[in-house]
Amino acid sequence: MSRTAEMLPPVVPARRALPRYLVAATLARGADAGAAVGVVLLATLPAVGAARPALLGGLLATCLTAPHLLGPVLGRWLDRAPDGRGRLAVGFATYAAAVAAAGLLLGRVPVGVPAALLIVAGICGPLLTGGLSSRLAALLDPDERAQRRGQGWDAVTYGIGASAGPAVVATLAALLGPRMSLVGLAAATVLAAALVGTLPPRAPGRGGSARTGPPARGALRAVLGSGPLRRVTAVTTVAAVTGGAISVLAVALAADLGRQAVSGALLAAVYGGGNLAAALLVTAFPLTGVPERLTVRWAALGAVAVALCAAVPGFPLAVAAFALAGAATAPLFAATLAARSAYAPDAVRAQVFVSTAALKVAAASLGTGLAGVLAPLGPRLLLGAGASVTLAAALAAVSARQRRDG
C-alpha cells in the first residue's frame, strides 16, 4: 500500500455520507437561488439611494450570474486537486464572505465595491451547483438504481433550494431587513462548506493532481465534441433558456388572463412546486434507461407542457399547465446528471459537471433577459416559441443519434 493511500481516511459508507451531502447541497443551492433575490431587494432600500432601484438590482443580480461562464476554469481547478473537498469548501466560504460583505457595504461605499464582491461570489457559484454534484457518484453504490436514486435526491436539493432560498430571503428581509437576509444566506453557505469537508475523500485515481491535472480543453472536447454528451448538453442548454424565461412569462400570462401580478407569482410558485413533487417521485422511482434518450425524452415532454401553458384559455388550466411544465424539469435534470456521470471522462469529471452547469445558468439568464426584451410580443407567443425551440433541439438530437447509429 502506498504512503498516499495510507494517509487517506477510510471511505464512509454511502448511507452515512449521502445525508450530509444532501444537507450541504440544499443549503448551498438555497443560498445560490436566494442571493439574486436578496440583492434586488437590497437595491430598493432608501439607504442605498439608487435613482433606479430596479436597474441597480438587475445589474447586481447579473454580477452574480454572469461569472458562471468561468465554470470550466473552476472545474479544472477541482480536477487538479488530489481530493477536491478542501477546494470546494474554500469556494463555498469565499462565496459566503463575498455575499455577506456586499450586502453590508452596498449604499455605504461606492457601488463598484459590492459589485466586485458579487462578481467574486458569482465566480464561485458553479462550485455550489455542478462542482458539488461532481462528488455525488462516489458517495453512491455503483449499481444503476442506486446512482439514479441519488441523482433524484440531488434534483430534490435543487427544487428545495429554488423555492426555500427566495422564501427565506423574503422572510428575513421582512423581519431583519435585506442586509441580514444576505448575511443569513452566507451563514448557510458556511455551514455547507463545513459539511463538504466531512464527505468521504475522492477515490484514489479519480481526477488529476496539482501537477498533472488535465487542461480545460479536455473538458471542452468532451462537452462540445461529438457524442452523447454534446447532444445532452445542447438539449439541456436550449431548454434552460425557456426555463429562465418562465418566471417573467408567468407574470405576463397572468396579466393576459386578466389577473393581478400576484397571480403570476402563484404560477411561478406552482412551476417550482411541480418540480419539487416530481423530484421526490424520481427519487422514489428512479429513472431507468439510456441517459441520453431519457434526457431528450424529458426535454421534449417539457416542451409540450410549456406549449400547453401558451394555449390555456383560463387561469385554472394555467395552474395545471405550469405544474406539469415544472414537473417535467425534475426528471430532465436527473437524466442530465445521469448523462454527465455516464459520459464524462474521469480525468475531467468536475470540469464537465461545472461547465455544463455554468452553461445552463448562462442560458437561463439569457432566457430571462430575452423574456423582458421581447415582452411586447406577448407571453403566449414567447411560450410557444420557447417550446418550439426546445422541441426542435430534442428532434435534432434524435436525428444526430440515428445518423451515428446508422
Side-chain angles (χ1 to χ4, degrees):
M1 181 179 295
S2 69
R3 181 177 298 274
T4 300
E6 290 173 352
M7 294 174 62
L8 287 172
V11 176
V12 179
R15 61 181 178 275
R16 292 173 53 192
L18 184 59
R20 293 201 301 279
Y21 171 91
L22 295 174
V23 173
T26 301
L27 290 171
R29 284 141 190 184
D32 192 45
V37 178
V39 297
V40 171
L41 290 176
L42 184 57
T44 66
L45 284 180
V48 172
R52 299 175 63 185
L55 176 61
L56 176 61
L59 290 175
L60 292 176
T62 301
C63 288
L64 270 172
T65 57
H68 279 67
L69 289 173
L70 295 175
V73 178
L74 270 294
R76 185 184 183 220
W77 184 61
L78 275 183
D79 276 327
R80 285 166 60 95
D83 185 350
R85 290 175 299 171
R87 294 189 177 187
L88 276 175
V90 167
F92 281 34
T94 302
Y95 181 95
V99 166
L104 294 173
L105 292 176
L106 185 64
R108 297 167 176 166
V109 299
V111 71
V113 175
L117 288 167
L118 291 174
I119 289 173
V120 170
I123 291 172
C124 297
L127 298 177
L128 279 65
T129 53
L132 187 55
S133 288
S134 70
R135 309 279 311 187
L136 178 61
L139 304 180
L140 305 170
D141 292 333
D143 64 281
E144 180 179 297
R145 183 174 179 82
Q147 289 284 323
R148 299 290 173 85
R149 188 183 297 277
Q151 290 150 5
W153 276 117
D154 209 28
V156 170
T157 69
Y158 279 95
I160 294 176
S163 55
V168 168
V169 165
T171 302
L172 290 178
L175 295 175
L176 304 173
R179 295 188 195 277
M180 289 300 101
S181 71
L182 290 175
V183 172
L185 294 181
T189 310
V190 169
L191 178 56
L195 288 171
V196 166
T198 71
L199 295 179
R202 184 160 50 194
R206 174 71 61 84
S209 69
R211 295 187 301 274
T212 62
R217 62 179 178 272
L220 292 177
R221 279 197 296 266
V223 173
L224 302 178
S226 61
L229 189 57
R230 173 182 60 82
R231 294 190 289 271
V232 166
T233 301
V235 170
T236 54
T237 301
V238 171
V241 176
T242 302
I246 283 292
S247 58
V248 176
L249 297 180
V251 175
L253 183 63
D256 186 76
L257 293 171
R259 296 286 185 131
Q260 296 180 344
V262 67
S263 296
L266 175 61
L267 290 179
V270 166
Y271 181 88
N275 174 288
L276 180 56
L280 292 171
L281 284 175
V282 168
T283 302
F285 305 99
L287 300 176
T288 59
V290 179
E292 180 186 353
R293 291 177 179 173
L294 288 170
T295 302
V296 173
R297 181 184 307 160
W298 282 105
L301 290 173
V304 172
V306 171
L308 291 176
C309 294
V312 293
F315 188 76
L317 288 177
V319 171
F322 271 77
L324 285 175
T329 62
L332 172 60
F333 178 71
T336 303
L337 284 178
R340 295 175 192 170
S341 293
Y343 306 134
D346 279 349
V348 291
R349 175 173 294 270
Q351 292 182 60
V352 167
F353 271 80
V354 174
S355 299
T356 51
L359 284 173
K360 285 183 63 179
V361 171
S365 297
L366 175 63
T368 303
L370 286 175
V373 171
L374 301 177
L377 297 178
R380 295 181 185 274
L381 177 60
L382 295 180
L383 286 167
S388 299
V389 170
T390 302
L391 189 59
L395 292 174
V398 172
S399 176
R401 180 186 174 89
Q402 290 175 341
R403 287 197 302 272
R404 185 207 65 177
D405 294 342

